[in-house]
């Protein structure tokens, strides 16, 4: 069965990596293992860290009035708002910092989404870049868990990279001592 074949393959790979006589070549694909973990971890940590930074800065941002626009699609509701700063019109959909993925799950998004179309809103905007704005100057409830997941992926990827480097070093030493 396929489960038996998979188990046998795992045993074979482990034997190849640990037994200098059984392995002639270390599979190069093993060097690629940490890359997706490190890439996802770096991306998630960067994005969430940036949201933490923006949230702190937003507490000192000026405000302007805006108008809520709600578009109800087949599967979900889309929220956006328009506002004006120094005679220039802007549009945004950020409700709260730290929204990654399905935004309809945050309580802040739900609070804004319950308002009727065309409602007046208080919009906080970045003075240097008015196109950056938010309706709530805090992090959504799930932002810290996004950071924790990103850090966990970095840790897993880093440990996998270290383990692979140790195995590669041992493989290189064993190959050199066995005459190539």
């Amino acid at each position: 069965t396929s489960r038996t074949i998979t188990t046998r393959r795992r045993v074979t790979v482990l034997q190849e990596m640990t037994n200098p006589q059984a392995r002639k070549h270390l599979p190069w694909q093993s060097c690629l293992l940490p890359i997706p973990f490190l890439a996802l971890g770096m991306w998630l940590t960067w994005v969430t860290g940036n949201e933490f930074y923006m949230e702190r800065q937003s507490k000192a941002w000026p405000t302007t009035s805006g108008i809520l626009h709600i578009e109800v699609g087949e599967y979900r509701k889309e929220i956006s708002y328009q506002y004006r700063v120094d005679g220039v019109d802007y549009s945004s959909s950020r409700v709260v910092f730290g929204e990654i993925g399905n935004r309809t799950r945050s309580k802040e998004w739900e609070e804004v989404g319950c308002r009727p179309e065309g409602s007046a809103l208080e919009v906080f905007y970045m003075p240097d870049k008015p196109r950056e704005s938010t309706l709530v100057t805090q992090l959504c409830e799930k932002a810290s868990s996004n950071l924790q997941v990103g850090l966990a992926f970095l840790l897993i990827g880093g440990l996998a990279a270290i383990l692979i480097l140790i195995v590669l070093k041992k493989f290189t030493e064993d190959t050199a001592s066995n005459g190539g």
Side-chain angles (χ1 to χ4, degrees):
T1 66
S2 68
R3 188 172 186 174
T4 306
I5 292 170
T6 304
T7 304
R8 286 183 189 156
R9 178 67 186 138
R10 283 188 197 138
V11 170
T12 305
V13 168
L14 285 172
Q15 287 172 344
E16 288 173 357
M17 293 181 77
T18 56
N19 183 355
Q21 308 306 340
R23 65 176 174 201
K24 299 292 182 207
H25 304 287
L26 185 67
W28 64 269
Q29 295 91 340
S30 63
C31 297
L32 300 176
L33 176 69
I35 293 174
F37 288 97
L38 291 171
L40 183 60
M42 283 189 273
W43 176 80
L44 199 51
T45 303
W46 170 260
V47 168
T48 307
N50 189 45
E51 292 291 303
F52 273 77
Y53 176 77
M54 295 278 286
E55 179 264 340
R56 281 192 168 172
Q57 298 298 315
S58 71
K59 300 206 183 300
W61 289 358
T63 61
T64 188
S65 60
I67 297 176
L68 177 66
H69 292 286
I70 299 175
E71 186 177 315
V72 179
E74 187 174 342
Y75 298 106
R76 63 187 280 179
K77 188 189 302 187
E78 295 290 330
I79 292 177
S80 65
Y81 51 93
Q82 280 67 42
Y83 58 100
R84 180 176 286 193
V85 176
D86 296 330
V88 179
D89 291 329
Y90 296 96
S91 178
S92 181
S93 61
R94 178 186 284 140
V95 173
V96 63
F97 292 103
E99 298 173 313
I100 297 176
N102 190 353
R103 296 161 32 165
T104 60
R105 295 185 186 166
S106 77
K107 74 173 189 178
E108 297 85 3
W109 195 94
E110 284 296 324
E111 289 172 6
V112 172
C114 291
R115 296 180 184 179
E117 168 79 23
S119 294
L121 301 167
E122 181 180 35
V123 178
F124 296 85
Y125 66 93
M126 184 185 290
D128 299 340
K129 288 196 271 181
R131 71 178 174 276
E132 292 288 339
S133 64
T134 188
L135 299 178
V136 181
T137 59
Q138 63 186 27
L139 291 167
C140 73
E141 296 173 333
K142 307 222 179 340
S144 61
S145 62
N146 291 337
L147 182 61
Q148 291 169 350
V149 169
L151 292 172
F153 271 94
L154 280 173
L155 180 64
I156 291 167
L159 290 174
I162 290 168
L163 179 63
I164 288 170
L165 288 173
I166 291 169
V167 170
L168 281 173
K169 182 179 180 205
K170 184 163 176 45
F171 176 76
T172 305
E173 289 170 355
D174 290 345
T175 305
S177 67
N178 291 336

